[in-house]
Amino acid sequence: MRAIIVGVNINQTPQRFKYQIEELEGLVEAAEGTVLGKVYQKRESPDPAYYIGKGKVSEISKLVEGIQADTVVFNVNLSPVQIANLSQEIKAQILDRTDLILQIFFKRAKTKQAKLQVELAYLQHQLPRIYNQRGKDLSRIGGGMKTKGAGEKIGEIKTRAIKDRIAKIKAQLKEIEKQKKQQRKKREDNPDILNVALVGYTNAGKSSLLNRLTKREAFISDQLFATLDTKTSFIYFPDVGKKVLLTDTVGFVEDMPQEIMDAFMTTLQEIEEADLILHVIDISDENWLLKKQTVEDILKKLKLEDKPTITVMNKIDKVIPSEDYLEEDESENTVTISTLKGWNLNKLFDILKKYAVRKGEQHYGQLRIL
């Protein structure tokens, strides 16, 4: 992918807009693309036809031809009409933010469940665009008497095929979720097992932390959405006879596309049914506060804001030169660590052990009451 980034700033602060563009560059890189150029426009509202102004469309078209770009990526989500109009004017693939995220997901999905979830999200995103496609693929069936026209005819066929496929995928995912739910039920019913979900903004270091805590090998990369598939591993504390199951979940991003939220709801149920959440934050990221808020907003959307949560401030080794400079965390629900250097991991182990013991005590206490 040889990409041009189009950044449209509608009533955003310069800092927020800069953050969005930097993230979009990271997404292009995660999709194995290269950013050749950037085009910006500040607007009070989107143009209904192109999102950007017609003059800017012409400028991008010339730039695409001049530097031989093959893709134009917008930092916003475009309507089906806007995608169709831009494709007519610019001789390159037009991607909005959701398109780009879905491309990354297609490349990263490994398990059957993840592949089905990505396909579902893609089809749900494409469905509204069918009637706005133009070109030969919409003229293969001629409009006969009493038909609505060639374009609409093909549109109806494509729509029906997509809806049929969506129904089949949902049925398959439902079956997978049924099996997983039975597995989770067994874990939940066991008072000696603490179920912990790792959540965080993409690239916060969740997979690295899972690997370090459980000695498990997991794919780790310094890219957005390095991993999509849910991974579960465990820690055993023999002195108290307790086990902690740690589940890594898909990373979040700002304004998580609804199609992706819907498709990955089965994965996110791992969070819903966890006893404890570890919210992993990259403290070295200058935008960590914005990303922390994004994750908290998504948890609130999932109605999980009241679930017990430990905030894990990761990558502190990029901020201070040695462990000697670590300060005492102000809250017992916050721990500052370096997964890479192993700093303060003992404190995190102690927190997990404490919650595991507490779960067992609550269970056996209830049995005594009964």
Side-chain angles (χ1 to χ4, degrees):
M1 180 194 299
R2 294 168 55 82
I4 293 170
I5 282 178
V6 179
V8 190
N9 184 349
I10 297 179
N11 302 320
Q12 288 182 300
T13 64
Q15 180 190 6
R16 189 81 173 185
F17 183 64
K18 178 175 177 284
Y19 161 58
Q20 265 197 3
I21 299 305
E22 287 175 351
E23 180 169 273
L24 194 65
E25 285 186 82
L27 289 170
V28 171
E29 180 186 334
E32 301 174 9
T34 304
V35 177
L36 301 181
K38 303 171 192 173
V39 177
Y40 303 132
Q41 185 171 55
K42 191 169 185 177
R43 297 182 62 88
E44 291 185 4
S45 61
D47 178 80
Y50 299 100
Y51 204 100
I52 53 178
K54 187 70 188 292
K56 192 62 71 173
V57 174
S58 178
E59 178 187 329
I60 295 168
S61 180
K62 291 174 184 174
L63 183 61
V64 164
E65 189 176 346
I67 63 176
Q68 296 183 321
D70 56 32
T71 308
V72 176
V73 183
F74 283 73
N75 70 317
V76 294
N77 286 325
L78 302 169
S79 72
V81 170
Q82 289 162 347
I83 288 274
N85 290 340
L86 288 164
S87 298
Q88 287 289 105
E89 301 289 338
I90 300 170
K91 304 309 176 189
Q93 182 183 27
I94 307 296
L95 299 179
D96 65 11
R97 189 169 174 274
T98 298
D99 290 325
L100 183 59
I101 291 173
L102 285 170
Q103 280 206 4
I104 298 166
F105 276 34
F106 265 117
K107 292 176 186 293
R108 300 287 163 80
K110 302 295 182 209
T111 65
K112 180 181 179 181
Q113 182 184 19
K115 288 176 180 178
L116 287 171
Q117 287 169 323
V118 175
E119 185 182 356
L120 176 60
Y122 172 77
L123 292 174
Q124 289 176 329
H125 187 57
Q126 289 299 314
L127 197 55
R129 298 179 175 180
I130 295 299
Y131 285 104
N132 289 282
Q133 291 181 19
R134 298 174 183 174
K136 291 181 181 178
D137 62 327
L138 287 189
S139 60
R140 287 178 189 154
I141 295 181
M145 189 167 56
K146 295 184 180 179
T147 66
K148 297 179 181 178
E152 283 189 297
K153 183 81 172 183
I154 271 287
E156 288 167 7
I157 293 170
K158 284 191 170 186
T159 298
R160 187 164 58 251
I162 288 176
K163 286 182 176 179
D164 287 347
R165 179 59 185 157
I166 285 174
K168 287 178 182 176
I169 292 173
K170 285 183 174 179
Q172 288 178 277
L173 286 173
K174 193 172 182 180
E175 189 58 35
I176 292 172
E177 172 53 20
K178 185 179 176 181
Q179 295 169 5
K180 292 205 165 196
K181 197 166 185 176
Q182 290 171 346
Q183 294 169 357
R184 286 197 297 265
K185 182 67 177 169
K186 289 178 183 177
R187 300 196 310 242
E188 287 168 22
D189 292 342
N190 191 330
D192 296 322
I193 295 178
L194 180 76
N195 299 292
V196 179
L198 278 72
V199 306
Y201 209 87
T202 181
N203 205 30
K206 295 184 290 86
S207 296
S208 301
L209 182 59
L210 178 74
N211 185 32
R212 187 76 187 237
L213 291 175
T214 64
K215 306 292 191 295
R216 171 194 173 121
E217 289 301 319
F219 174 67
I220 297 163
S221 174
D222 189 23
Q223 283 189 328
L224 301 179
F225 299 116
T227 53
L228 290 184
D229 297 300
T230 301
K231 297 177 181 66
T232 299
S233 195
F234 70 91
I235 306 165
Y236 181 62
F237 295 110
D239 54 330
V240 293
K242 305 295 181 186
K243 183 183 285 189
V244 175
L245 285 188
L246 289 161
T247 300
D248 190 7
T249 59
V250 62
F252 296 152
V253 292
E254 187 179 38
D255 298 325
M256 192 79 135
Q258 190 58 47
E259 298 93 332
I260 292 173
M261 287 286 288
D262 292 342
F264 277 80
M265 194 51 67
T266 53
T267 303
L268 298 175
Q269 281 178 351
E270 294 282 355
I271 310 171
E272 183 180 337
E273 296 174 11
D275 300 307
L276 177 69
I277 293 173
L278 293 188
H279 178 182
V280 184
I281 296 169
D282 177 0
I283 193 64
S284 69
D285 189 323
E286 63 177 9
N287 296 303
W288 72 266
L289 272 171
L290 289 172
K291 294 180 176 182
K292 176 177 181 286
Q293 187 61 52
T294 294
V295 174
E296 289 174 352
D297 288 345
I298 292 174
L299 290 175
K300 189 177 289 186
K301 192 174 182 180
L302 296 169
K303 299 180 180 177
L304 300 174
E305 68 270 26
D306 295 328
K307 188 174 283 289
T309 302
I310 302 298
T311 303
V312 182
M313 299 293 198
N314 192 24
K315 305 188 185 183
I316 190 64
D317 57 289
K318 293 185 177 182
V319 180
I320 58 176
S322 76
E323 193 173 6
D324 297 333
Y325 288 84
L326 270 176
E327 297 179 359
E328 191 68 28
D329 292 302
E330 294 180 1
S331 168
E332 64 175 12
N333 294 324
T334 300
V335 56
T336 303
I337 68 164
S338 164
T339 299
L340 182 65
K341 300 290 181 68
W343 298 349
N344 244 6
L345 287 185
N346 283 340
K347 183 176 179 181
L348 184 53
F349 275 118
D350 288 342
I351 290 171
L352 293 172
K353 184 193 290 188
K354 179 184 75 174
Y355 272 90
V357 170
R358 186 182 297 172
K359 178 181 178 179
E361 288 175 346
Q362 288 172 346
H363 173 80
Y364 292 117
Q366 289 172 351
L367 286 182
R368 282 194 292 271
I369 292 171
L370 293 172

